[in-house]
Amino acid sequence: GYGEVALKCYECMKQEGVEPDEITFLYVLKACGSVGAVDKGQEAHGEIISKGILNKDVFLGNALVDMYTKCGDLARARHVFNNLEVKNVISWTTLITGYAGCGLCYRAIHCFQDMQRSGLQPDEFTLVCILKVCGKIGAIDWGQEIHAEIVKQGLLRRSSISLGNALVEMYAKCNALENAHLVFNELSSRNLLTWNALISGYVEHGYGEKAMHFYELMRNEGLIPNAMTFICILKACGSMGATSVGQQIHEEMINM
């Protein structure tokens, strides 16, 4: 997490005449992305090209795409991506995540569709990202298509809880609360984020009593609410005028 210090070490290394290799560049690019040092990233990019090592290592190409997306330079990220001799799932996911992170949701979805057309299967990280995009723009049709593919491949059984949470959140944000509840019930395991996704969906769409019901169920299962849970449930109390319940939750927050 000390990107600037890492870049200073890199400069000292070069001053001592030690030549960087592929591993060095991977960490330098990661450091540049973490601190938004796009100028330093471009310098490293130039060195990578001059050494002729870019197309020998897909990880290095992916690191360049990642660095440019994190620095908000999506035009250069796309240029690097287009010129990669080999693209893997990580390459595509990095670009999709970059578009999503910059609010270019439709580009993220089109990129996802291009990835599918290329014959590559998305992994869990790709799917979580694109489901979040669908929820953000209310693209329930695309979200349902992705859900169907997830079910077809049995990914909910094999993947971590993050994919199930992303589905619940997507449906909840699209105001398809019945679908969100169905997915919620089908999950073999749930965590606080799962409950928060469902509760916040009910609150945001004006179903305060439903939100309160699921909050109580969550508490009965022994889960400890976090700040997000409290924000949602206090909003529900306010919308329903449930002052006494709000006071109880206030006391609970003080005593935590």
Side-chain angles (χ1 to χ4, degrees):
Y2 297 94
E4 291 178 358
V5 179
L7 292 176
K8 286 178 183 177
C9 287
Y10 174 62
E11 291 302 324
C12 290
M13 172 184 147
K14 289 198 295 182
Q15 286 167 14
E16 290 193 8
V18 179
E19 285 293 315
D21 63 6
E22 289 92 333
I23 302 298
T24 320
F25 285 123
L26 282 174
Y27 284 109
V28 166
L29 291 170
K30 188 173 182 179
C32 291
S34 70
V35 299
V38 69
D39 291 342
K40 291 285 185 185
Q42 283 178 292
E43 286 178 22
H45 187 182
E47 289 184 62
I48 290 165
I49 290 171
S50 68
K51 288 178 180 291
I53 57 175
L54 177 56
N55 290 321
K56 294 177 183 177
D57 191 336
V58 67
F59 298 106
L60 204 49
N62 291 347
L64 274 167
V65 175
D66 184 56
M67 182 274 295
Y68 281 125
T69 59
K70 284 180 177 170
C71 291
D73 194 340
L74 289 166
R76 279 200 175 90
R78 185 79 206 205
H79 178 76
V80 172
F81 176 86
N82 287 343
N83 286 284
L84 292 178
E85 287 186 9
V86 179
K87 300 178 183 72
N88 60 14
V89 174
I90 296 170
S91 317
W92 285 96
T93 302
T94 302
L95 191 60
I96 290 165
T97 305
Y99 283 132
C102 292
L104 301 172
C105 297
Y106 289 99
R107 284 199 184 183
I109 289 172
H110 293 150
C111 192
F112 176 74
Q113 292 170 331
D114 287 342
M115 174 188 171
Q116 289 179 305
R117 282 191 284 268
S118 77
L120 278 174
Q121 287 292 336
D123 64 11
E124 179 186 340
F125 299 103
T126 326
L127 292 166
V128 167
C129 176
I130 208 67
L131 285 169
K132 285 182 179 294
V133 167
C134 290
K136 191 173 182 179
I137 61 174
I140 190 168
D141 291 342
W142 279 324
Q144 285 177 313
E145 284 180 23
I146 294 162
H147 185 187
E149 189 61 32
I150 288 167
V151 171
K152 182 181 175 182
Q153 294 185 35
L155 293 176
L156 279 180
R157 295 191 301 273
R158 301 198 303 269
S159 299
S160 74
I161 199 168
S162 300
L163 190 54
N165 290 352
L167 273 169
V168 174
E169 182 183 35
M170 182 273 293
Y171 280 124
K173 286 190 173 178
C174 291
N175 197 15
L177 294 165
E178 188 175 332
N179 295 42
H181 191 191
L182 284 170
V183 173
F184 179 89
N185 286 337
E186 290 169 1
L187 295 178
S188 56
S189 60
R190 299 187 280 260
N191 61 12
L192 184 59
L193 295 177
T194 326
W195 287 94
N196 281 353
L198 192 63
I199 291 167
S200 65
Y202 280 116
V203 173
E204 290 303 318
H205 296 291
Y207 299 97
E209 289 183 6
K210 280 273 192 182
M212 289 297 303
H213 170 71
F214 282 103
Y215 175 73
E216 289 167 8
L217 289 178
M218 184 195 89
R219 298 297 277 134
N220 290 339
E221 288 199 5
L223 283 168
I224 305 298
N226 64 6
M228 182 63 192
T229 324
F230 283 129
I231 288 168
C232 290
I233 213 65
L234 287 170
K235 189 173 180 180
C237 290
S239 68
M240 297 187 300
T243 309
S244 59
V245 179
Q247 285 175 324
Q248 289 173 17
I249 292 166
H250 185 187
E251 288 175 13
E252 188 178 348
M253 291 166 63
I254 291 169
N255 294 326
M256 283 188 72

